[in-house]
Amino acid sequence: MAKTDLEIAQECVMEPIEEVAKKVGIQPDMLENYGKYKAKLSFDFLRQIENNEPGKLILVTAINPTKAGEGKSTTTVGLGDALNRLGKKTMMALREPSLGPVFGLKGGATGGGYAQVVPMEDINLHFTGDMHAITTANNLVSAILDNHLHQGNELNIDPEKITFKRCLDMNDRTLRNINIGQGPKANGVERNDGFNITVASEIMAALCLADDLMDLKKRFGQMLVAYTYDDKPVYVHDLGIEGALAMVMKDAILPNVVQTLEHNPVLIHGGPFANIAHGCNSVIATKACLRLADYTVTEAGFGADLGAEKFLDIKCRLAKLNPSAVVIVATIRALKQHGGIELENLKEENVEAMLAGCENLAKHIDTIKQFGLPYIVAINEFATDTPSEIEALENWCKENGHPMSLSQVWAKGGEGALDLAQKVISLCDQDNNFAPLYSVEASIEDKIETIAKKVYGADGVDFTDEAKEQIHKFNELGWDKLPICMAKTQMSLSDDGKLMGRPTGFRITVRELRPSLGAGFIVALTGKVLTMPGLPKHPSALDMDIDQDGKIKGLF
């Protein structure tokens, strides 16, 4: 019986984190240790490497996810290990997992098989406390805001126009809409409120786009929290707490250093969801990797329609990053599901369905080409893939002029991606014409329509009356020159999660817009996407346990 990801991770004999960090020139006195195998980079060290010449940046993205699995994080880790095997000084920059999916359905974010980051239990649970700090900072805003109302409401805030929600790093649907302040007057002003999941918090988005602690403090001050009775915006700065928020985040802003199973250094920092936030790890961690290594491999959440689009249109634009190459991950299992096969039948050979599902892959390739970047398709091999299916997919790639590589990182670690690594090195040596898809000077409607048509393949966009009113208001307030962060289902190129493959003849509906002024973008909510997920009928938590020696079971 094949070993689980957890069993493989638990068998790894980790190196002390100081030894791992030395491989890229980080000396022990520049680390802030969290036990033997985890550490944070110090403020001093981040300042010390500020002017280092950056290396090459490689983005790993994927087709639309399915329950069959794609393996984006696994490919990121395996590719990084492979580049190191080829003698290329390489680091990986990943996101921190959210406890919501860990206990819910999706699982962790440390890779899989022999292409994993360890200590995987720590990373997938409390890690170094960053998620708790973000949750605390977010809820400090809410507590101060409600206290302000209770203590006389000097700012004339309308309780019915408070836009800032509380948060919790857990899937809990019952908290989406709640009523607070019930009971005697001493309990505060009664009003409607709700919770987002922590990874959808603007605190998280701002952390991941900030340059440093002072920039983060400034971004906190710019966050919108409410409107007054006469419809004037109220910001965190008006509450006077950006300094307190930055203080809460003083450790959480520092990137976390861990290792792969092959003892290569990885920075894991920040974890915004890509279906409701921008889906990328922190700019601070990415830039630190670029300044320390010749190659940095990073991933962006879900398919190229979400994570990659936001990485290239938001993160690269705001952080002035220039990616060198893109890896698009697909599995034969997932392609068959996009071709119309049910999950329980995916183990059966079906070349015809797989080739039909390639239409989804083709659209994501088209998207990356529109950004002017060289790319390669990485086929993440599963044990159930048949020779006929692999040959058919290789032929499809050749016939359509798409570079590809068969990746065996789950089974073989870095050794399983040596071909992919060599091809990626060649791509990085090419000149590219990278540019975002739209100008921030365009109207809000035009920016959203550009994404919908060029990335999703939609015929156009419909705005609800509420969204139209919000756009009018944002234009008046001068918020219209910001990038757009689309909140959309990850399951489909459309805003309907049931439409798999490459749907055509559809329109996108934007139901609401939310200004994330501290993060530096406007969120456009489409379809039925939720900022607080719920648990499935059988949550993963039901299969987890721990024994008397503290050994964890059932965590993937």
Side-chain angles (χ1 to χ4, degrees), residues 154-172:
E154 200 179 304
L155 292 170
N156 198 33
I157 293 167
D158 183 345
E160 292 185 5
K161 294 179 185 171
I162 290 174
T163 59
F164 198 90
K165 291 189 174 186
R166 288 168 161 81
C167 78
L168 182 73
D169 193 34
M170 193 58 59
N171 292 1
D172 193 346

Side-chain angles (χ1 to χ4, degrees), residues 32-82:
E32 296 182 5
N33 286 51
Y34 282 65
K36 293 180 185 176
Y37 308 114
K38 311 184 294 271
K40 282 183 171 285
L41 296 178
S42 69
F43 282 112
D44 285 345
F45 183 71
L46 290 170
R47 280 190 285 265
Q48 190 179 302
I49 63 172
E50 248 174 9
N51 297 317
N52 287 11
E53 189 69 26
K56 305 276 191 183
L57 180 58
I58 301 152
L59 172 66
V60 177
T61 186
I63 60 174
N64 287 99
T66 66
K67 289 179 181 176
E70 288 66 51
K72 202 163 56 269
S73 299
T74 305
T75 303
T76 301
V77 175
L79 174 57
D81 281 339

Side-chain angles (χ1 to χ4, degrees), residues 267-285:
L267 294 189
I268 295 188
H269 194 219
F273 276 176
N275 59 344
I276 42 184
H278 65 83
C280 306
N281 74 300
S282 76
V283 166
I284 294 173

Side-chain angles (χ1 to χ4, degrees), residues 462-481:
D462 297 318
F463 296 89
T464 63
D465 289 344
E466 183 186 2
K468 287 175 184 173
E469 284 175 26
Q470 289 165 330
I471 290 171
H472 179 70
K473 188 178 191 69
F474 294 1
N475 290 341
E476 282 184 344
L477 291 165
W479 299 342
D480 56 320
K481 304 306 180 194

